[in-house]
Amino acid sequence: MTSRPLRILYLADIRFPLERANGIQTMETCHALAARGHIVELVVRPDTHVPTRDPFAYYGLAPLERLTIQSAPVAGPAAARRIGYLAFAAGRTLGPPRADMVFTRDLGVASLLVRVPRGLRPPVVYESHGYAPEVAAALPRLIATATAPPERKLRRLARHEARVWRSADGYVTITRGLSDNLTARYGPRPRLSVVPDGARQGIQDPGPGTADVAHEPLVAYAGHLYAWKGVDVLLEALALVPGVRGLIVGGHGAEPDLARVRTQAERLGIAGRVQFTGLVEPGRVPDLLRTAAILVLPNPASAISDRFTSPLKLFEYMAAGRAIVASDLPSIREILHDDQDALLVRPGDAHALADAIARLVADPALAGRLARAAAALSVQYSWQRRAERLDALFTQVAGVRS
């Protein structure tokens, strides 16, 4: 780790705990940094659940004295909550006790803080999960509840991106493709690191044997059910592989996607062999994944999937010790390799996906080999390894500012 423990202020304008990947990744990252000896203060919005939930219990993590979670006192409509959080974050950053470093994946927060002269604020490290104007413009085509952003918002996001790229003391991207994209737009910058997401390790069993694939051909997916995640393609593929059962883990009841994919399963005539769990707590997901023989990451090609995404489910699949079938996308190829630790198939092609599933069902030895290779590779993508990679960047940033 860095030469001394750092006091890290992590700013996340999200209700907390949050069931989405953003919340999981935030909590796991902060917990891993605290486990390395840093003093981490995570500032979030209050839980909207009644009664409020303990984030450590919700995410299945042991409490750490070095990790504290503070809720910003925000209320009212969305715009008021956002303004309230930004004001609280600025006050917490600039007031005592002064953090050694601010870490955030919130572009607006980072853009606000880097406007403050460096001598008056701690170093700011920003973690990018996509080029914001491109993501915002693409979302209406990918998520049913998203609306098209006005042009002025896209221009504002572009200004934020340029400012943070130029002025942040450290910069993290979750894929090499995103790093290359931003460098091509804005030119090279110092203290830039590619740090993928991760998963908990040590939870897989010895891996699928012949019986798992041959006699329990359960194919699983875990995550959100937005169209850009590819669950629709997976259901079409399952309809082409008779005798194989499906398990779809996830789906928010307040959003239309769960009803959409259930209707699709009925239309395809496979509702009787596909189970939909709905939303489950993060700590339950690994056990559900291990009930399957094959795990599928079926993202179609999109602005987000191609270069920007580092899906938590990818690393959870690897750690689960199961054979993986994934879309052959540049972001996925940064981690997986076809016929070495997964089968990679043409994105959005249900027939190609079905052929890969059928191939694994028919060849348990292949399924076992791929599962073992993915599990062995997964140790490079633990949350602890992620914290180590971040620490290497923090060392550079702290050295410049010391």
Side-chain angles (χ1 to χ4, degrees):
M1 62 176 290
T2 52
S3 57
R4 62 183 177 87
L6 297 175
R7 183 179 294 275
I8 299 171
L9 181 64
Y10 192 112
L11 300 176
D13 186 12
I14 54 176
R15 57 180 174 81
F16 205 76
L18 179 67
E19 68 280 353
R20 302 180 190 277
N22 184 345
I24 298 169
Q25 194 248 19
T26 293
M27 185 65 175
E28 293 280 7
T29 297
C30 288
H31 195 272
L33 287 169
R36 286 182 62 78
H38 297 299
I39 301 168
V40 182
E41 180 184 354
L42 171 58
V43 179
V44 293
R45 281 194 276 121
D47 188 10
T48 56
H49 190 272
V50 179
T52 58
R53 298 162 293 184
D54 174 15
F56 291 96
Y58 181 79
Y59 293 113
L61 291 166
L64 293 176
E65 184 177 347
R66 290 176 174 269
L67 172 57
T68 58
I69 301 171
Q70 181 178 12
S71 293
V74 300
R81 295 196 302 271
R82 179 60 170 169
I83 292 171
Y85 185 89
L86 289 172
F88 187 86
R92 181 61 196 84
T93 300
L94 303 177
R98 178 68 66 88
D100 297 310
M101 193 162 301
V102 175
F103 189 28
T104 187
R105 52 178 285 182
D106 186 315
L107 179 64
V109 167
S111 180
L112 173 67
L113 295 180
V114 298
R115 297 186 202 193
V116 178
R118 280 187 167 88
L120 301 179
R121 61 164 173 82
V124 174
V125 177
Y126 174 64
E127 178 174 302
S128 176
H129 287 242
Y131 179 62
E134 194 169 338
V135 172
L139 283 181
R141 300 190 301 273
L142 305 176
I143 298 177
T145 56
T147 57
E151 192 62 34
R152 65 179 180 277
K153 178 178 179 179
L154 297 179
R155 291 194 297 268
R156 183 176 73 252
L157 291 173
R159 290 194 298 271
H160 287 333
E161 288 279 9
R163 179 181 298 116
V164 174
W165 180 265
R166 180 177 63 249
S167 301
D169 299 273
Y171 204 105
V172 176
T173 67
I174 56 171
T175 67
R176 175 62 59 189
L178 176 55
S179 176
D180 293 344
N181 178 283
L182 292 168
T183 300
R185 289 178 185 276
Y186 299 121
R189 58 150 292 143
R191 298 178 297 284
L192 169 64
S193 294
V194 177
V195 184
D197 284 330
R200 297 185 200 177
Q201 302 297 306
I203 57 176
Q204 71 263 18
D205 59 24
T210 301
D212 293 295
V213 178
H215 302 123
E216 292 291 336
L218 179 64
V219 177
Y221 166 92
H224 287 290
L225 309 182
Y226 308 134
W228 75 274
K229 299 288 190 176
V231 179
D232 307 73
V233 179
L234 173 57
L235 293 176
E236 292 176 17
L238 291 175
L240 298 171
V241 189
V244 170
R245 296 177 295 120
L247 174 65
I248 309 299
V249 180
H252 202 293
E255 296 174 345
D257 302 279
L258 182 57
R260 185 194 81 248
V261 294
R262 279 178 167 157
T263 299
Q264 184 188 18
E266 292 173 359
R267 179 178 57 81
L268 292 169
I270 59 173
R273 56 186 175 99
V274 179
Q275 177 188 357
F276 296 90
T277 69
L279 195 65
V280 300
E281 292 185 356
R284 291 181 53 205
V285 173
D287 286 340
L288 289 169
L289 293 180
R290 290 196 298 274
T291 67
I294 300 167
L295 303 174
V296 178
L297 201 160
N299 290 52
S302 72
I304 300 175
S305 292
D306 287 6
R307 291 165 293 162
F308 299 163
T309 188
S310 179
L312 295 189
K313 70 176 67 65
L314 168 60
F315 304 102
E316 291 171 345
Y317 287 4
M318 294 163 64
R322 295 294 183 264
I324 299 170
V325 181
S327 296
D328 189 6
L329 294 165
S331 59
I332 303 302
R333 288 198 302 271
E334 290 188 21
I335 309 297
L336 295 177
H337 312 86
D338 185 41
D339 207 34
Q340 294 183 33
D341 38 46
L343 294 183
L344 303 184
V345 301
R346 191 162 47 250
D349 188 330
H351 287 273
L353 182 55
D355 288 346
I357 292 170
R359 181 182 171 194
L360 292 173
V361 170
D363 191 346
L366 171 64
R369 174 174 65 80
L370 295 176
R372 289 188 293 274
L377 180 63
S378 72
V379 299
Q380 300 181 31
Y381 299 101
S382 66
W383 293 114
Q384 291 74 23
R385 285 288 292 124
R386 183 167 213 271
E388 291 174 18
R389 293 181 175 107
L390 290 172
D391 240 342
L393 175 64
F394 294 166
T395 297
Q396 296 178 45
V397 172
V400 170
R401 293 294 296 268
S402 61

